[in-house]
Amino acid sequence: MAAQTEASLRVLRALVVEDEWAARNYLVEMLHASGQATVVAAVATLAEAEQALAPGGIAVDVAFIDIHLGNAKGDKGDEAGMHLVRTLAGTPGAPLFVLATALSQHAVEAYALGVADYLLKPIH
Amino acid sequence: MLQTRASATIRPPDRNAESPWHLALAFGAVTFAAAAHSLRDTHEGTPWRHTVAPSAVMVLQAAILTLGYRWLRNRNAGRAVMLVAGTLVSTLFGALATWLHADRAMNNPRALLLAISIGLGVGGLWTLVFLLPAVIRDANLRSLAADGVRREAELAQLRSSLEPHFLLNTLHTIAALTVDEPLVARRLLAALGDLLRDALESSPEIRPLEADIHWLQRYAEILEVRHRGSLRFEWNVAPETAAVPLPKLLLQPLLENAVKHGVLCRKEGGVVILRSRFIDRSLQLVVEDNGPGISPGTKEGLGLRMVRQRISLAHPGGSLRLESSSEGTRATIELPHSQEAA
């Protein structure tokens, strides 16, 4: 019983935010394969992510977030993930953030906001 | 003479800075100086009427020609109209100058002929000295503008196919698919390869519609896989339009907008329809989506501005029209068929 608790403490509860289905499944697959995280939710839109991370939402230790979320209305989608991190970073109860995107253009700001990592696609 | 009609579309930005007016004034000053000089040697009659007045008439002729040319150009008059009007004005002024010089010349057919020749001569001189440089400058500016737009279009094309986000996200998708859907991954690699080849090889600026459709279908294939379940394309290309020459990737920004700002902004996803057909003597190209429409007050982006510019350069008389409602957006390009070889 004690060993099980210890194991579940080590496994992080992860949220995946990615608008493209293949990329989303890919990240979920990789997280499962790592054995260090269990994906508690994988969502496609900014709205769903905000809902999941809101107080009373899902208990999450780490959130993997795609910066570009194509299904956010208008040009807001181009950096919806950054918007999410800017809003939530440093707030009480906020999880660790890991950003995933094609280019490094937001990396400096991301690390300044205290993200745990900044992954470049294609991720491996 | 050079084609001048096009100057109505692309106007030199500093048209007044170096207009024929300055030259006309200089011409007038020289003529008056010559007239004043000859005045000293005149012995009989009313000197001003014999010398200064005909010179003034010539200057007036140059001024009227300049004014008339601009007036006609701003109304897109053809070369024939300009030529007839110029000849008429020159003939009249030639006769007027001769009549001022000596009344009796009007009764002498040979003298009148000479007068008209002088008028036409002044008109010809005006064309050489004032009109030709202006027309050449216009033509140069126009070709510079065309070059600029072409370069921008090439850059935009590179941006769309080799655009880093598009390229890297597509590679990411392919990496994701290799385990569970290797055949789809293979198809995407082939499609991406086609787009890269087209971007890396230099191809002509004007090419048949079917070459563009082929490119767009590869581009669409990639997007359809990446947004499976929420994005679908329909192609409705009339076979007789396949060979129509068009500026390369003219439709790409319309397709990109329909996906990015249309279908992908719709919760349930949707469809992008591309249509081409002939209506009367016009080629009609339509890109339509069933997204949420353009929000009021949205500024027109670089993509659309460039589509407009390219149409106005390659197809004078062509147009791009946008219609949008909460049911979707439709972009319609219409090109007069008779001018498509331009």
Side-chain angles (χ1 to χ4, degrees), chain B:
Chain B
M1 219 211 276
L2 287 160
Q3 170 67 276
T4 55
R5 186 186 292 240
S7 55
T9 319
I10 302 295
R11 285 196 182 138
D14 57 344
R15 214 171 85 205
N16 292 321
E18 210 190 318
S19 77
W21 275 109
H22 297 78
L23 284 168
L25 280 176
F27 181 73
V30 170
T31 315
F32 270 114
H37 179 74
S38 63
L39 192 62
R40 291 189 312 177
D41 306 328
T42 308
H43 299 297
E44 54 175 289
T46 339
W48 75 267
R49 187 170 165 187
H50 284 212
T51 53
V52 179
S55 316
V57 166
M58 286 180 196
V59 173
L60 192 66
Q61 177 184 347
I64 295 279
L65 285 173
T66 303
L67 213 67
Y69 167 69
R70 292 181 136 203
W71 190 80
L72 287 173
R73 189 179 65 168
N74 288 342
R75 272 152 197 79
N76 291 345
R79 278 173 293 176
V81 174
M82 289 191 181
L83 195 66
V84 169
T87 309
L88 212 66
V89 167
S90 298
T91 308
L92 283 173
F93 273 89
L96 181 64
T98 315
W99 174 74
L100 281 171
H101 186 66
D103 306 307
R104 60 183 180 282
M106 296 306 279
N107 305 322
N108 183 343
R110 274 190 61 195
L112 187 63
L113 211 61
L114 181 72
I116 289 169
S117 313
I118 289 171
L120 290 176
V122 171
L125 198 67
W126 173 83
T127 305
L128 270 179
V129 175
F130 304 150
L131 184 58
L132 212 56
V135 167
I136 289 171
R137 203 173 58 238
D138 272 11
N140 284 344
L141 278 168
R142 179 176 146 77
S143 97
L144 274 177
D147 280 353
V149 171
R150 187 164 62 236
R151 259 196 300 279
E152 241 185 290
E154 273 166 13
L155 277 174
Q157 185 229 341
L158 275 173
R159 278 200 293 273
S160 62
S161 56
L162 273 176
E163 197 262 313
H165 279 102
F166 178 81
L167 179 60
L168 291 163
N169 282 314
T170 302
L171 286 174
H172 188 63
T173 301
I174 294 169
L177 289 169
T178 43
V179 175
D180 291 332
E181 302 187 42
L183 292 182
V184 179
R186 193 188 280 178
R187 197 156 54 82
L188 285 200
L189 278 175
L192 190 61
D194 274 359
L195 300 188
L196 293 185
R197 184 167 28 252
D198 195 73
L200 296 171
E201 282 176 354
S202 56
S203 56
E205 155 71 5
I206 304 284
R207 65 183 188 185
L209 172 65
E210 61 185 338
D212 252 25
I213 295 289
H214 178 75
W215 191 99
L216 293 172
Q217 283 175 339
R218 296 304 243 171
Y219 178 69
E221 199 178 344
I222 292 172
L223 291 174
E224 259 176 345
V225 172
R226 279 173 51 182
H227 302 284
R228 187 186 287 170
S230 52
L231 173 63
R232 201 161 51 78
F233 283 86
E234 275 176 29
W235 307 88
N236 195 340
V237 180
E240 66 270 20
T241 62
V244 174
L246 273 186
K248 183 179 174 180
L249 294 181
L250 181 68
L251 299 174
Q252 191 277 335
L254 303 183
L255 216 74
E256 191 179 329
N257 282 351
V259 172
K260 191 175 171 185
H261 303 297
V263 168
L264 291 187
C265 291
R266 186 171 183 251
K267 226 178 183 160
E268 320 79 315
V271 60
V272 174
I273 305 168
L274 189 144
R275 245 184 253 123
S276 86
R277 57 182 173 170
F278 282 121
I279 292 185
D280 298 327
R281 292 186 53 75
S282 290
L283 172 69
Q284 192 188 62
L285 302 163
V286 178
V287 177
E288 200 178 319
D289 67 70
N290 60 352
I294 304 167
S295 348
T298 308
K299 267 204 290 179
E300 200 168 287
L302 174 71
L304 285 181
R305 280 206 310 276
M306 213 159 61
V307 173
R308 282 190 205 285
Q309 270 184 328
R310 297 180 79 197
I311 291 175
S312 78
L313 279 170
H315 299 263
S319 66
L320 166 66
R321 196 173 68 244
L322 288 181
E323 298 155 272
S324 185
S325 72
S326 57
E327 310 281 281
T329 303
R330 182 191 295 137
T332 308
I333 292 180
E334 267 178 40
L335 306 173
H337 186 37
S338 55
Q339 292 188 28
E340 78 210 6

